[in-house]
Amino acid sequence: MSDSLGSGPAAAPPAPPPAPPPRTTLRRRLAELRGPAVAPHPLDARALAALAANPGCRRRALLDGAGVDKAALASALGSPAPFGQSQFAFMRGNAFEAKVKADGGTELMRLLSERLGGQSPPPSPDDVLVPDLSAAGPEGRTARTALALREATEARAWALLDHPLLALEVAGSPAYLEPDAVVVRPDGRWTVVEIKSFPMIDGSADAAKVGAAARQAAVYVLALERVALHTAGAEVADRVLLVCPKDFSNLPAASVVDVRKQLSVTRRQLARLTRIEDIAAGLPEGTTFDLDHCSGEELNAAVESVSAAYAPECLSACELAFHCRHRARAQGAVEALGRGVRGELGGLTTVGAVLAAAHGGAGDPADPTVIALRRAAALRTEALAAASGAFREAAEGAAEGAGSVMVATDEAVACR
């Protein structure tokens, strides 16, 4: 019996699938989004901390990753945000920072020794290395910073790095961060130093400002940890030194801030960020945020093509918050009332749906959220009815009193 499979000509191999078109690199794609001729707006630690506080906002992740100037974009959309620092405050902050770092960082090292050095005396200026961190471009400065950190750690010496540049990957895109200073101790410990211009009165500063500084410093610590992984004997301290003016003077004072909680939150939230290339891949063809070549309508359409996660906390952290709030209110989104309210309302995502459920026009009667809303609406109706009755009684009493006064006045006039 002949084998039919072996007879006849051999079957031709299947044709290979067509090669996929070459993908545009992420860097080129982000340049197209902000405008090819527009320099990227730097993503600093303050913006990165705000982004980590709201990881569900794809809009901010994309705009920050592409280097879009959100303040200029908000102005072009007609919703400018009152962000920024006055020129006087900026100059005062620079002058105070220069004073703290003067003479090879003598005052800074004294404060560090007082707060974190135990019984050890502060090092003399001659014992502190101040490496030159200048280099071409952010990649060069980042590499120079890493080299200076490794050399100081291997030498077991004191070192003061003035405005080092660190790199941190955020949603698949590099972010360059510049702390005020990093101090390397002889035991290999690296300490972040934050210098702020707000006062420290009687040993304590404004809690909200200290919290913001702690979140910002946690980003620096996270970036330093990436460098320490490749440096033998290095350890990044989870306590940072915060330097502020003492009372109402220009004298520096310092306190130690534990950033372990902020570091844990920042690490977890940054890991939750959707990769920027995935967000950019879902945009309509031709989407761009080029402020020089797009009209207000085109910019608004581009912004609305990326989903946002607005919350009232954004008003103090994002330049686009006023635009997003206006859109959330126009759509009746319950997010405009706060994350706590949004979490309590479950599947009811609009104010209209909430009101309809509260008044019996919609909603599942067995839903605990609907039950609570209807109970609250009934209590409100009862309270308004009681208040209306009390107001009516008070008005009638006032009318009777006024009538008595008028009668008495008429009688007095008649007696005259």
Side-chain angles (χ1 to χ4, degrees):
M1 183 176 180
S2 63
D3 189 357
S4 61
L5 293 178
S7 61
R23 288 188 61 187
T24 305
T25 63
L26 178 60
R27 181 173 298 183
R28 180 178 177 183
R29 177 63 176 136
L30 297 181
E32 292 173 352
L33 287 175
R34 68 173 176 268
V38 180
H41 194 72
L43 178 62
D44 58 13
R46 183 180 290 106
L48 192 54
L51 179 60
N54 191 7
C57 187
R58 299 164 68 93
R59 180 177 297 171
R60 172 151 197 172
L62 179 66
L63 294 176
D64 282 346
V68 177
D69 187 347
K70 297 193 301 297
L73 179 59
S75 298
L77 294 173
S79 301
F83 277 80
Q85 192 177 39
S86 68
Q87 188 66 22
F88 173 75
F90 183 76
M91 294 174 61
R92 182 182 60 185
N94 285 344
F96 177 71
E97 181 178 338
K99 181 175 183 178
V100 172
K101 297 178 180 177
D103 300 325
T106 301
E107 187 67 15
L108 176 56
M109 290 300 179
R110 182 188 67 80
L111 294 171
L112 182 72
S113 179
E114 285 182 359
R115 298 299 180 180
L116 293 171
Q119 303 297 325
S120 303
S124 64
D126 295 335
D127 296 332
V128 180
L129 302 175
V130 184
D132 181 13
L133 303 179
S134 59
E139 293 87 355
R141 288 187 58 198
T142 302
R144 184 68 187 91
T145 296
L147 178 61
L149 287 168
R150 286 195 293 268
E151 290 176 346
T153 303
E154 292 172 357
R156 296 293 178 182
W158 286 96
L160 172 61
L161 277 67
D162 186 6
H163 283 286
L165 195 65
L166 308 171
L168 183 65
E169 184 174 303
V170 181
S173 179
Y176 296 100
L177 313 169
E178 188 175 355
D180 293 327
V182 172
V183 174
V184 179
R185 301 165 60 96
D187 59 1
R189 180 171 298 181
W190 302 349
T191 301
V192 173
V193 179
E194 274 292 276
I195 303 175
K196 299 296 184 182
S197 59
F198 54 82
M200 189 176 295
I201 301 174
D202 293 333
S204 61
D206 182 83
K209 294 180 179 179
V210 172
R215 291 189 293 272
Q216 184 176 344
V219 177
Y220 297 139
V221 172
L222 191 60
L224 274 176
E225 288 180 345
R226 303 294 191 270
V227 183
L229 289 175
H230 307 284
T231 306
E235 178 187 0
V236 183
D238 52 23
R239 297 194 299 168
V240 303
L241 188 70
L242 177 63
V243 182
C244 302
K246 182 179 181 181
D247 298 328
F248 299 101
S249 68
N250 200 34
L251 299 175
S255 66
V256 177
V257 181
D258 191 332
V259 297
R260 284 178 294 181
K261 178 180 178 182
Q262 291 83 357
L263 184 61
S264 176
V265 171
T266 302
R267 184 183 290 112
R268 181 175 66 252
Q269 299 291 65
L270 289 180
R272 290 177 54 196
L273 286 173
T274 305
R275 294 183 65 85
I276 294 175
E277 56 187 344
D278 297 335
I279 302 175
L283 296 177
E285 188 69 25
T287 300
T288 179
F289 305 95
D290 191 346
L291 299 175
D292 296 332
H293 299 90
C294 291
S295 64
E297 293 77 9
E298 292 171 332
L299 289 174
N300 186 72
V303 169
E304 293 304 315
S305 67
V306 192
S307 62
Y310 170 76
E313 294 84 354
C314 297
L315 294 174
S316 61
C318 181
E319 295 86 345
L320 279 177
F322 289 88
H323 172 80
C324 296
R325 182 181 66 174
H326 174 73
R327 296 295 300 171
R329 288 177 173 178
Q331 296 168 1
V334 296
E335 286 85 352
L337 304 176
R339 290 194 179 100
V341 176
R342 175 67 186 91
E344 292 289 340
L345 293 175
L348 303 175
T349 59
T350 65
V351 175
V354 171
L355 295 177
H359 294 99
D364 183 3
D367 187 347
T369 302
V370 176
I371 294 173
L373 286 171
R374 292 180 180 176
R375 176 58 179 161
L379 292 175
R380 178 179 181 274
T381 302
E382 293 175 7
L384 290 177
S388 177
F391 177 77
R392 188 183 304 110
E393 292 179 0
E396 292 175 353
E400 292 177 359
S404 300
V405 171
M406 293 178 65
V407 171
T409 303
D410 292 342
E411 291 177 354
V413 172
C415 291
R416 288 182 182 178

